[in-house]
Amino acid sequence: MGFLAIMNAYTMRISLSIAITEMVNKSHGATEEDGGVCPIDESANPDDFTGGEFDWDEELQGIILSSFYWGYVITHIPGGMLAEKFGGKWTLSLGILSTAFFTLITPWAVELGGSTALIVIRVMMGLGEGTTFPALSALMATWIPAKERSKLGSLVFGGGQVGTILGNLLSGVLLHNIEGWSSVFYFFGGLGVLWFVIFTLLCYSDPESHPFISEKEKAYLKQELGTLERDRTLPPTPWRYILTSVPMMALVCAQIGHDWGFFIMVTDLPKYMSDVLRFSIKDNGLYSSLPYLVMWIVSLSTGVLSDWLITSGRMTITFGRKLFTTIASIGPACFIVGASYAGCEKAVVVMLFTFAMGLMGTFYPGMKVNPLDLSPNYAGTLMAITNGIGAITGIIAPYVVGVMTPNHTLEEWRIVFWISFAIFNVTNLAYIIWASGEVQPWNTPHLMNKSVEAGESIDVPANAKKSVQSLEAIKQ
């Protein structure tokens, strides 16, 4: 259900990226004659390249596509704190439900208020969806043992790739077969509501509150996690320690690199496919989704590989996180730049984008599950901070692309991809130098997960040591 939560969140988030290619009039910009865009295939329907009724320039489209993240950034930290305090179930489910509601009313709002109304709706969607990752991290910290985090974390977070696949693919099919663009929002909004109903009936915030859990599973989780319920006496979030933690800052850097590249691809790859490569709307949905299919497969397979390498002692958690994050940074950086030099060789371009996004899948057993390593007790807040700061790139990236590609030519897009190349590599370098896979001292040491790497010592603050000693004295 966590996987399906992220899947639904992403279908609702990115469906506009395909739909906007059919909402906006395409009569402006570069032409085949000046070499700025690729020629249209002879077998294609010319009507696929005329667009819709709205005369929004590239800069305004960039603002529309980025507006979701204005709201998305705001609710991350509140969402993480609420999930830790009251449990992840309702923090997650109500956030998805509100996003689904605003998705459903998008066509009505656009017809009523045009681009301004669409921006407002997207901000409201972002506010609802901002709780998703923090709430899921809090849920996973109470349900998933340390030795299964790479595998199950990759599975859950892999919903983002599957959501992007389905969002692109089904949007293309709906737009191709149903007149008008409204069907996209009705379809994905409806799926979000359906998920909410099923999730609230089946899922619970922690093992102790689950009425159907077996005694065998309880015993296993008790052994692995040390507890079956959230610690309702958890001390206040140690903000000073978190915000001055070097591994935490390294994680934020890696998140910025991941999100910049990912948001460029998620929000703007369909526009590149449509405006530059001149794919039809149906082909656009298909080829825009293909890279994420490979990314999903890679994230799942490398999640299993990472867990095996760590539990078998072939590598430490810290080295594993750094290795897979590096693969996910350097590989995509090189392939997206290569795609910009492939010109109008459509098969080659799609192949290079597919390789780029495929390798980005190793982010999930890398830095994406790292908040659970650093602090199981405050995983929701850590995910809120990293994902929230990273999501700022979702505000900046689409706007930068809109400003830098006013004529949507190959040369303009090439500069965009070189900027992404630099951001990938700089942020990854910071992660390599300063990242850690060890539980940090500010995770209230007496509650630490006992499954942390065996034999590795952790510096415990003096006041925490005294607390533990006092507890032992009382027991005696």
Side-chain angles (χ1 to χ4, degrees):
M1 292 306 297
F3 164 84
L4 292 174
I6 295 184
M7 186 196 78
N8 274 288
Y10 269 75
T11 58
M12 292 185 287
R13 181 192 305 189
I14 64 98
S15 56
L16 179 63
S17 297
I18 291 283
I20 200 169
T21 64
E22 294 302 294
M23 296 168 69
V24 176
N25 189 305
K26 300 179 184 179
S27 60
H28 311 294
T31 62
E32 296 174 35
E33 288 73 20
D34 59 28
V37 298
C38 300
I40 299 173
D41 290 339
E42 293 181 2
S43 58
N45 181 359
D47 292 339
D48 283 341
F49 303 93
T50 57
E53 68 269 32
F54 298 106
D55 194 19
W56 300 335
D57 61 24
E58 290 297 318
E59 184 174 347
L60 178 56
Q61 289 180 57
I63 292 172
I64 291 169
L65 290 171
S66 70
S67 59
F68 171 91
Y69 298 97
W70 304 352
Y72 188 65
V73 169
I74 294 171
T75 50
H76 265 69
I77 291 178
M81 296 174 69
L82 286 170
E84 287 165 357
K85 186 72 173 175
F86 302 107
K89 175 177 179 176
W90 292 107
T91 311
L92 173 65
S93 60
L94 292 175
I96 296 290
L97 178 63
S98 66
T99 305
F101 169 75
F102 288 113
T103 301
L104 285 168
I105 67 170
T106 296
W108 169 79
V110 174
E111 293 298 327
L112 194 67
S115 60
T116 303
L118 180 55
I119 290 170
V120 172
I121 285 289
R122 295 291 290 180
V123 172
M124 299 304 292
M125 287 175 62
L127 287 170
E129 199 170 306
T131 64
T132 302
F133 280 94
L136 273 170
S137 289
L139 285 168
M140 289 191 294
T142 60
W143 281 97
I144 300 179
K147 64 185 181 183
E148 300 178 45
R149 281 180 189 153
S150 296
K151 175 176 60 182
L152 295 180
S154 296
L155 172 63
V156 172
F157 293 135
Q161 290 99 66
V162 176
T164 307
I165 294 165
L166 294 177
N168 284 316
L169 187 62
L170 296 181
S171 292
V173 172
L174 290 168
L175 291 168
H176 179 75
N177 292 289
I178 300 175
E179 187 175 350
W181 44 265
S182 301
S183 59
V184 170
F185 301 100
Y186 295 142
F187 180 77
F188 292 121
L191 285 181
V193 173
L194 178 63
W195 173 89
F196 169 81
V197 173
I198 297 172
F199 178 82
T200 53
L201 292 175
L202 294 180
C203 297
Y204 295 82
S205 291
D206 52 64
E208 188 60 41
S209 65
H210 201 300
F212 311 120
I213 190 170
S214 68
E215 290 302 319
K216 183 178 180 181
E217 187 174 15
K218 270 190 175 183
Y220 172 73
L221 291 173
K222 177 74 172 178
Q223 176 186 345
E224 294 295 322
L225 294 170
T227 180
L228 291 176
E229 59 183 342
R230 290 179 299 107
D231 181 12
R232 290 170 173 81
T233 64
L234 198 64
T237 304
W239 290 107
R240 181 165 65 89
Y241 292 106
I242 291 175
L243 297 177
T244 56
S245 169
V246 173
M248 181 63 187
M249 293 304 101
L251 177 59
V252 169
C253 285
Q255 184 75 47
I256 290 171
H258 166 273
D259 283 0
W260 181 274
F262 191 75
F263 291 146
I264 285 285
M265 300 294 280
V266 166
T267 58
D268 292 300
L269 182 59
K271 284 173 60 59
Y272 185 82
M273 296 281 197
S274 174
D275 297 342
V276 178
L277 298 180
R278 310 295 286 279
F279 280 117
S280 68
I281 186 59
K282 186 177 181 180
D283 289 342
N284 190 355
L286 173 63
Y287 293 125
S288 293
S289 66
L290 182 61
Y292 303 98
L293 175 60
V294 178
M295 185 180 182
W296 180 51
I297 294 170
V298 170
S299 68
L300 291 179
S301 57
T302 54
V304 174
L305 175 63
S306 175
D307 278 341
W308 176 75
L309 290 171
I310 291 168
T311 55
S312 64
R314 287 173 170 79
M315 64 171 57
T316 64
I317 293 177
T318 298
F319 183 81
R321 302 296 184 242
K322 291 181 178 181
L323 173 64
F324 287 107
T325 300
T326 299
I327 294 170
S329 299
I330 295 176
C334 295
F335 281 116
I336 62 174
V337 169
S340 71
Y341 286 94
C344 293
E345 296 293 333
K346 296 182 180 181
V348 176
V349 172
V350 171
M351 180 182 70
L352 291 173
F353 278 138
T354 302
F355 284 149
M357 294 307 294
L359 290 175
M360 206 181 288
T362 64
F363 265 124
Y364 292 84
M367 50 74 57
K368 270 292 185 182
V369 295
N370 201 197
L372 279 70
D373 302 321
L374 298 180
S375 178
N377 286 329
Y378 298 103
T381 295
L382 264 60
M383 179 60 80
I385 294 170
T386 55
N387 222 53
I389 293 174
I392 294 173
T393 64
I395 298 172
I396 299 171
Y399 180 73
V400 168
V401 171
V403 170
M404 295 186 67
T405 60
N407 302 305
H408 38 76
T409 65
L410 285 165
E411 290 76 15
E412 291 170 344
W413 275 93
R414 188 171 295 147
I415 297 171
V416 170
F417 292 139
W418 270 114
I419 291 172
S420 300
F421 178 92
I423 291 173
F424 266 128
N425 284 285
V426 170
T427 54
N428 181 65
L429 181 62
Y431 192 77
I432 290 174
I433 296 171
W434 292 301
S436 173
E438 300 175 14
V439 174
Q440 297 301 294
W442 34 265
N443 182 55
T444 55
H446 61 290
L447 298 175
M448 281 184 184
N449 190 314
K450 296 177 182 178
S451 299
V452 178
E453 292 175 282
E456 292 192 4
S457 61
I458 298 170
D459 294 329
V460 179
N463 61 342
K465 288 181 179 178
K466 291 178 182 177
S467 299
V468 176
Q469 290 166 358
S470 301
L471 287 170
E472 292 299 325
I474 292 170
K475 288 178 183 177
Q476 291 173 1

